[in-house]
């Protein structure tokens, strides 16, 4: 397929919505458990030389609540992402996932590597199912959200996504995005995370991979990103200064620069349509 372009706007299938910005090779953007497509607004502006497709995951933003189904929860999210790309006319795309979105992106690369041109995992993890503490933590988060409501939940958790040096306007922005989280969406995401452990599967990832992490990530942490990079054959790894768990939002120019160089290297080796 030749390169496709998209004007700024919102695309919607019958269940999933996404924000499209830019022109060039397609890059699918998958947000974290407390975010939405809005989390990528600054990054999309920085990477406008590509067609960036920032989805609202099922249960988030303008997307419908997640549908129940058989099989592993991670597969359902990966399938929903692939279905959206098909609706847009893309047979393949670079896939960038932040935190929970990175776990979905990992599953996409494992199950259909021919559809994933490259993989970028930002401040992500192998899944919360790796430890009993991680699984219990997901349950507690859902219970907390249900008990206090999304706005109070956002004020409690939102600032932790950022480095201590983050500006007040950015803190407010992250809190505002998280305050729109819906219980159905968050519960589905938490259940997926609690059921997922990609540790042993990382060695099977066969697409070019870049692992990025904010130097002050207080959520998943630098060590977890190092473990991801060490487990994926040939993965590149970099620590991005000037940000925490949400470094994509805190330092979008630096983050986009590293992503752009990686995508250029991948596209130079295998041009779209070759």
């Amino acid at each position: 397929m030749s390169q496709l372009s998209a004007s700024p706007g919102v695309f919607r299938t019958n269940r999933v919505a996404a924000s499209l910005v830019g022109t060039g090779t397609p890059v699918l953007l998958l947000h974290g458990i407390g975010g939405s497509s809005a989390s990528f607004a600054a990054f999309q502006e920085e990477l406008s030389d590509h067609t960036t497709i920032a989805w609202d995951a099922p249960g988030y933003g303008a997307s419908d609540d997640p549908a129940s189904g058989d099989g592993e929860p991670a597969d359902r999210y990966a399938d929903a992402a692939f279905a959206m790309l098909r609706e847009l006319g893309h047979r393949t795309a670079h896939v960038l996932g932040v935190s929970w979105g990175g776990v979905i992106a990992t599953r996409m690369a494992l199950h259909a590597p021919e559809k994933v041109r490259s993989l970028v995992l930002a401040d992500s993890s192998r899944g919360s199912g790796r430890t009993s503490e991680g699984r219990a933590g997901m349950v507690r988060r859902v219970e907390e959200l249900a008990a206090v409501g999304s706005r109070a939940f956002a004020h409690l958790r939102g600032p932790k996504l950022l480095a201590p040096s983050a500006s007040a306007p950015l803190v407010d922005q992250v809190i505002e995005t998280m305050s729109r989280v819906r219980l159905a969406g968050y519960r589905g995401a938490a259940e997926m995370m609690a059921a997922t452990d990609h540790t042993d599967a990382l060695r099977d990832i066969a697409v070019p991979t870049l692992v990025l992490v904010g130097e002050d990530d207080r959520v998943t942490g630098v060590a977890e990103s190092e473990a991801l990079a060490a487990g994926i054959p040939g993965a590149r790894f970099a620590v991005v200064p000037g940000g925490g768990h949400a470094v994509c939002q805190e330092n979008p120019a630096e983050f986009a620069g590293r992503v752009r160089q990686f995508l250029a290297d991948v596209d130079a080796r295998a041009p779209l349509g070759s």
Side-chain angles (χ1 to χ4, degrees), residues 123-215:
D123 299 274
S124 192
S125 77
R126 290 164 286 179
S128 299
R130 189 172 60 84
T131 65
S132 58
E133 180 182 0
R135 293 190 293 273
M138 287 293 108
V139 173
R140 286 196 301 271
R141 285 202 213 176
V142 174
E143 291 174 344
E144 184 179 27
L145 174 59
V148 305
S150 58
R151 183 156 292 278
F153 183 78
H155 278 275
L156 288 169
R157 297 201 62 85
K160 298 176 184 179
L161 303 184
L162 303 166
S165 59
S167 68
L170 183 57
V171 173
D172 291 343
Q173 182 184 97
V174 168
I175 289 173
E176 179 60 28
T177 299
M178 189 178 285
S179 70
R180 298 173 187 166
V181 165
R182 307 198 300 273
L183 182 59
Y186 199 92
R187 178 184 287 117
E191 289 175 352
M192 190 214 96
M193 286 292 286
T196 303
D197 176 11
H198 284 144
T199 302
D200 293 336
L202 295 179
R203 60 177 175 264
D204 297 324
I205 292 178
V207 302
T209 302
L210 171 65
V211 179
L212 297 173
V213 62
E215 64 178 342

Side-chain angles (χ1 to χ4, degrees), residues 17-56:
S19 170
L20 275 66
V21 176
T23 302
T25 53
V27 184
L28 175 63
L29 308 178
L30 307 174
H31 61 79
I33 194 170
S36 70
S37 60
S39 303
F40 290 111
F43 175 72
Q44 287 185 284
E45 291 181 8
E46 293 287 346
L47 204 71
S48 60
D49 51 340
H50 291 72
T51 298
T52 55
I53 307 159
W55 86 336
D56 285 326

